[in-house]
Amino acid sequence: MSSRNQQTRGKPPAGPSIIADYRLLPGVPDEMIDPSGAIRPGWDKLMAAFDALGPTELAARVERADQYLRDAGVFYRKYDGAEGKERAWPLAHIPLLINEADWVQISSGLTQRAELLERIVADIYGSNTLVQEGLLPPELIAQNSEFLRPMVGVQPVSGHYLHFCAFELGRGPDGAWWVLGDRTQAPSGAGFALENRVATTRALSEIYASLNINRLAGFFRGFRDALFNQAQRDGGRVGILTPGQLNETYFEHAYIARYLGLMLLEGEDLVVEDDQVMVRTVAGLKPVSVLWRRLDASFADPLELRYDSHIGTPGMVEALRSGSISMINALGTGIMETRALAAFMPRLCKHLLGTGLELPEIATWWCGQGAEREFVLDNFDQLMIGPAFSTQLPFDDLRGTALGAGMTAEQKADLKSRIANDGGSYVGQEPVRLSTAPVYVDGKLEPRPITLRVYAARTDDGWTIMPGGFARVGSTTDTTALAMQRGGQAADVWVLSSKPVEQVSLLPREGEKLVRNAPGNLPSRAADNLIWLGRYAERCEASVRILRAYNARLAELSKPDLPILTHCAALLETLDVDAAEAMPQGLLASIDSAVHSAGQIRDRFSPDGWLALNDLQKTAQRFAARISTGDDATRAMTVLLRKLAGFSGLVHENMYRFAGWRFLELGRRLERAIQIARVTAWLTAPEAPDGSVEMLLEIGDSVMSHRRRYSVTAGAQSAIDLLVLDPLNPRSVLFQLAELRHQIESLPGGIDDEQLSPAARLALEIHTGLVIAEASEMTPERLDRLASEIGMLSSLIAAAYFT
């Protein structure tokens, strides 16, 4: 570095005032400031725009982006316990800008690298010539936990092992981009890159519009079309295979499934019959042709891979052998993430592609070879030492990787001894010295280390590179703070173009044939969660209505031992709700259960519905900490009731009337019918105290209807007639049964060859009995029996569609 460049380090650059206090880190390249101290092209316009906004407006824009992410429910799971906790997505609000020349180099280098990885993994699971010719050490394959022996000789249906890859890049001190690691197992983050783009552009819309920034939609459209084209050739469906809700990036799985119109599937949704992978749907077993895998390969099949996997599908490997399913990426491709393989990439590239690596690799020495082992031992203090078979990046692997110079004398001696005795288990690597980029911190910009994650997808026209990706940004100047699990952030990446860019979307192009997806693709697990979401939401409403009636009378009478209150408290006990608590734990548990069920079907749930449900949960939790019984609780229950009504209205009015909506509606109607029948039985029993009929009408939200339809002197029989037998009252049991009949008969198999299914027959039987019943016949005993019969109806639905 020249003396002039050294003088600029640590000094604020000239230019917009927002970077007046921007101090570069000594000896570290910066993405915004070039070695001469000048602002790089593109960054000057961005900083000038920030200056024009001013500190107050810029802070408001930052909050706008964060608010969007909260509203959209974007989260990742931070593992600090057995299951971890959902955390808000940590957006770094200043995008990383990359100029066109750099991007052409990156795209070309990654296209070459994706093809190189494809050829290597094809050889490992195919002819194995690289090992035979001494280009790859056999122990790096045979002793590798990512090498899946059952997959040897299994040719992918598509003809390719890799279809979707990610690459971690860093800019070194020489200004060149280096490959820090490959992601071929189940690359994450593409969905988060989309959300980063939406959040950032919402906050900086006019700035984004003023620059020629490449769009991301075209990348996803090309990959989606390739997946569907392959599925059409095989006559099946396309799904994303997820480990489930507890995975750290589950939000992304659901988001991508919704964005691309794919089925989101878990291992339990699938079954292998006659070597064909089938998805359990409410319309029966349906074939699946393409699975975009988001779980580690070893968990995919407990029969031939990890026997202890509870998230895989037995028989999946055999289905792959038969050629009935295409896996994206192929099982076993995670071996290409092995850290020690980096030591052999330059030689393999020349052998397989006839040329050198366009993007250099982080320098790596595998200690299983004598000369390399001696080099690592001789240069111990200048290298990072880590496990050879690790698939983590050096700065992510804090427990397994360390800088030699940072160890104690005892630690050095111990590790050197282990390397000498078992060199094949260790690698030495050049220390990672990453460039920095500006991060918004407390109203000003500060430099932080960054890495760039870029995605490559195989389309019908070959490999294509996402024009962006996302940048991982450290929370401090320490490179170990890059990982999301350790406080790192993610920034949008803007690839600047010298000319206007094409406006692309996932909508059909002009002239393309309109294709409607047929109904009947609803997985049974999703239907089960939808029906329980409806039930839990309705159960919450029943509890809230009873609690409001109870607390309103408690506030008025101030005597909790009055018969009407003790009778109502006993009714609440049947719902596992304690009336003595202002915000009962039983009610909170029902709300949590509703949120959990909705969380299992994020791909089929609208962002507005999810936001409404989370708002209900947060409001209830906030009330639990500060309200008391009586008037306070009455007002709180009214607020919760409004929020429940808002959630129900959003779902009812906005969900498309596919099978998913029908199961949600079934859950609501089943639970409402059961609750109304039981509450009516309880409050019209002979031992019910004075005031019970009035409370029943209030809980049933039918006070006004009762006044209009019956004389003021009418008693319990009129309440039973209105809440159980009235076909026009949307709160009555008969109304629910009519809706249940309609929905059950409309489901796949509800009526088959003019024959009613068992559930449809029982619904008809119950409905008919109510149609011809008189109010005087609806004794508490018959009402309780009615609730039990409706519960049996729920069991028949479960037996028909969920097992």
Side-chain angles (χ1 to χ4, degrees):
M1 185 179 293
S2 68
S3 60
R4 178 188 175 190
N5 290 344
Q6 290 179 9
Q7 290 173 0
T8 64
R9 294 297 171 187
K11 292 186 177 182
S17 60
I18 192 171
I19 59 173
D21 295 325
Y22 190 73
R23 296 292 195 278
L24 303 182
L25 302 180
V28 178
D30 189 81
E31 295 300 317
M32 182 172 66
I33 309 301
D34 69 18
S36 70
I39 303 178
R40 298 182 192 271
W43 286 98
D44 52 353
K45 294 181 180 179
L46 182 63
M47 294 301 112
F50 285 169
D51 266 358
L53 290 176
T56 302
E57 178 61 19
L58 181 58
R61 299 297 185 90
V62 166
E63 173 55 30
R64 183 186 300 175
D66 289 340
Q67 185 61 52
Y68 163 77
L69 293 172
R70 288 193 294 269
D71 290 348
V74 184
F75 73 91
Y76 75 107
R77 189 172 295 279
K78 185 172 181 179
Y79 295 114
D80 52 5
E83 296 182 351
K85 297 179 180 178
E86 291 183 5
R87 302 294 172 89
W89 181 245
L91 179 68
H93 305 89
I94 309 301
L96 173 66
L97 273 55
I98 299 180
N99 64 53
E100 196 168 32
D102 272 357
W103 193 253
V104 169
Q105 178 192 10
I106 289 171
S107 296
S108 177
L110 294 184
T111 300
Q112 179 206 48
R113 192 171 185 88
E115 186 57 33
L116 174 61
L117 296 179
E118 169 69 30
R119 295 199 185 188
I120 295 172
V121 76
D123 181 86
I124 289 173
Y125 288 101
S127 61
N128 202 29
T129 57
L130 295 176
V131 171
Q132 293 173 9
E133 296 175 10
L135 293 165
L136 272 179
E139 53 266 52
L140 278 187
I141 309 301
Q143 297 178 13
N144 198 322
S145 63
E146 294 298 333
F147 175 62
L148 303 183
R149 198 172 301 277
M151 301 309 301
V152 173
V154 178
Q155 293 293 323
V157 179
S158 66
H160 302 289
Y161 288 83
L162 297 174
H163 299 79
F164 195 86
C165 306
F167 305 93
E168 206 81 23
L169 307 181
R171 194 194 290 272
D174 61 353
W177 288 98
W178 289 63
V179 176
L180 304 176
D182 304 305
R183 289 287 170 259
T184 55
Q185 174 75 269
S188 64
F192 290 122
L194 281 169
E195 285 289 33
N196 285 348
R197 175 61 57 89
V198 175
T200 304
T201 53
R202 284 198 177 193
L204 308 172
S205 55
E206 70 276 25
I207 302 174
Y208 180 81
S210 69
L211 299 172
N212 295 323
I213 300 167
N214 285 273
R215 272 41 174 187
L216 304 181
F219 171 84
F220 287 98
R221 183 176 64 191
F223 185 54
R224 179 202 63 184
D225 291 348
L227 295 178
F228 278 112
N229 288 343
Q230 184 173 333
Q232 287 172 2
R233 290 193 296 269
D234 299 334
R237 291 158 177 76
V238 183
I240 293 180
L241 184 58
T242 175
Q245 192 177 14
L246 297 182
N247 184 262
E248 65 177 334
T249 57
Y250 174 77
F251 167 83
E252 182 204 3
H253 305 169
Y255 180 85
I256 287 288
R258 188 167 59 237
Y259 182 68
L260 298 183
L262 309 179
M263 301 175 74
L264 186 64
L265 304 171
E266 296 184 21
E268 67 181 78
D269 294 327
L270 303 172
V271 63
V272 177
E273 286 200 352
D274 298 326
D275 297 336
Q276 170 72 56
V277 179
M278 313 288 283
V279 58
R280 295 182 174 97
T281 77
V282 297
L285 296 178
K286 302 294 181 181
V288 179
S289 292
V290 180
L291 283 175
W292 183 3
R293 173 174 61 86
R294 300 306 301 272
L295 55 77
D296 288 354
S298 59
F299 290 93
D301 185 347
L303 285 183
E304 298 200 51
L305 301 174
R306 284 192 59 155
Y307 71 90
D308 59 344
S309 171
H310 296 287
I311 57 176
T313 304
M316 182 65 75
V317 170
E318 189 58 37
L320 288 165
R321 287 196 190 100
S322 73
S324 66
I325 185 76
S326 181
M327 191 71 78
I328 313 293
N329 290 324
L331 298 185
T333 52
I335 194 172
M336 299 311 302
E337 298 183 1
T338 305
R339 192 180 300 177
L341 290 181
F344 303 91
M345 285 298 179
R347 184 169 56 170
L348 290 171
C349 187
K350 285 193 175 182
H351 176 77
L352 293 171
L353 301 181
T355 185
L357 289 169
E358 293 183 28
L359 291 177
E361 185 97 30
I362 180 174
T364 304
W365 296 267
W366 178 55
C367 297
Q369 298 169 303
E372 285 77 4
R373 181 168 58 250
E374 293 305 315
F375 177 86
V376 170
L377 292 174
D378 291 342
N379 297 273
F380 194 85
D381 286 354
Q382 286 75 49
L383 299 176
M384 295 184 298
I385 313 298
F389 295 101
S390 173
T391 58
Q392 290 184 294
L393 298 177
F395 44 77
D396 287 338
D397 187 20
L398 291 186
R399 294 185 178 180
T401 303
L403 186 64
M407 299 181 189
T408 65
E410 183 179 355
Q411 289 172 332
K412 288 182 184 179
D414 176 63
L415 185 52
K416 284 183 176 181
S417 174
R418 281 188 276 140
I419 291 174
N421 295 320
D422 183 23
S425 296
Y426 297 93
V427 292
Q429 290 185 292
E430 181 182 9
V432 178
R433 187 77 179 218
L434 300 171
S435 63
T436 58
V439 175
Y440 183 83
V441 181
D442 297 330
K444 60 181 181 179
L445 301 185
E446 295 182 4
R448 293 286 187 270
I450 63 107
T451 63
L452 175 62
R453 179 169 289 191
V454 185
Y455 299 88
R458 189 185 294 278
T459 70
D460 294 337
D461 298 322
W463 287 105
T464 183
I465 307 299
M466 181 193 292
F470 75 82
R472 291 203 293 169
V473 184
S475 57
T476 70
T477 56
D478 181 6
T479 56
T480 62
L482 280 165
M484 300 299 178
Q485 298 290 336
R486 300 182 178 94
Q489 297 176 293
D492 190 17
V493 177
W494 291 2
V495 177
L496 303 177
S497 175
S498 58
K499 57 185 181 296
V501 297
E502 179 187 2
Q503 302 291 323
V504 293
S505 75
L506 264 67
L507 295 175
R509 300 179 182 90
E510 187 174 351
E512 284 187 341
K513 183 180 179 180
L514 180 64
V515 178
R516 284 190 178 131
N517 290 326
N521 283 340
L522 179 68
S524 296
R525 178 185 53 83
D528 194 13
N529 279 290
L530 282 163
I531 207 168
W532 276 106
L533 171 59
R535 292 199 65 171
Y536 282 127
E538 200 64 35
R539 191 171 301 175
C540 289
E541 181 176 338
S543 299
V544 166
R545 288 186 178 279
I546 299 171
L547 282 165
R548 186 173 68 166
Y550 173 88
N551 280 284
R553 284 157 179 77
L554 180 64
E556 180 182 350
L557 304 172
S558 300
K559 293 181 179 180
D561 56 347
L562 286 175
I564 185 61
L565 294 180
T566 57
H567 194 66
C568 185
L571 170 61
L572 286 165
E573 285 182 12
T574 66
L575 295 171
D576 294 324
V577 173
D578 186 355
E581 298 174 343
M583 183 58 66
Q585 290 300 312
L587 174 58
L588 293 174
S590 291
I591 295 174
D592 291 345
S593 295
V595 172
H596 177 76
S597 294
Q600 299 277 1
I601 46 172
R602 287 290 296 271
D603 60 312
R604 297 178 179 274
F605 210 63
S606 76
D608 286 337
W610 179 254
L611 179 62
L613 198 55
N614 273 270
D615 182 44
L616 171 68
Q617 184 185 45
K618 291 175 182 176
T619 302
Q621 291 170 346
R622 189 167 61 249
F623 282 150
R626 69 185 193 196
I627 67 169
S628 56
T629 55
D631 194 49
D632 255 7
T634 304
R635 288 195 297 269
M637 296 305 141
T638 300
V639 171
L640 294 184
L641 197 57
R642 287 202 303 267
K643 291 184 180 293
L644 278 163
F647 166 72
S648 297
L650 274 170
V651 170
H652 186 78
E653 293 300 324
N654 295 337
M655 275 189 76
Y656 193 81
R657 265 47 172 178
F658 263 1
W661 176 83
R662 295 193 187 282
F663 279 97
L664 184 63
E665 187 72 358
L666 281 171
R668 293 180 61 230
R669 300 301 177 182
L670 282 167
E671 191 67 26
R672 181 176 293 184
I674 291 171
Q675 295 300 334
I676 289 293
R678 286 177 175 168
V679 171
T680 303
W682 193 273
L683 293 176
T684 58
E687 66 273 16
D690 291 342
S692 293
V693 172
E694 290 79 1
M695 180 176 279
L696 172 61
L697 292 170
E698 183 179 332
I699 293 169
D701 196 22
S702 298
V703 173
M704 295 299 296
S705 298
H706 186 264
R707 288 176 181 171
R708 290 191 180 98
R709 293 212 62 184
Y710 306 95
S711 68
V712 293
T713 59
Q717 294 295 307
S718 62
I720 293 173
D721 187 58
L722 181 61
L723 285 171
V724 178
L725 302 177
D726 194 323
L728 301 180
N729 183 4
R731 311 295 305 186
S732 76
V733 179
L734 182 58
F735 189 94
Q736 313 315 311
L737 262 297
E739 289 296 309
L740 284 169
R741 277 192 60 194
H742 173 68
Q743 300 305 337
I744 292 172
E745 291 173 7
S746 300
L747 289 175
I751 302 179
D752 192 8
D753 290 334
E754 304 302 322
Q755 297 293 314
L756 296 177
S757 68
R761 282 200 303 272
L762 180 58
L764 174 60
E765 182 181 337
I766 300 172
H767 181 256
T768 303
L770 284 181
V771 168
I772 63 176
E774 297 288 341
S776 58
E777 301 169 5
M778 303 309 296
T779 63
E781 292 76 19
R782 182 166 177 181
L783 287 169
D784 284 333
R785 189 166 62 251
L786 174 62
S788 298
E789 290 171 350
I790 297 170
M792 290 174 58
L793 184 59
S794 176
S795 298
L796 288 176
I797 294 171
Y801 297 103
F802 307 150
T803 57

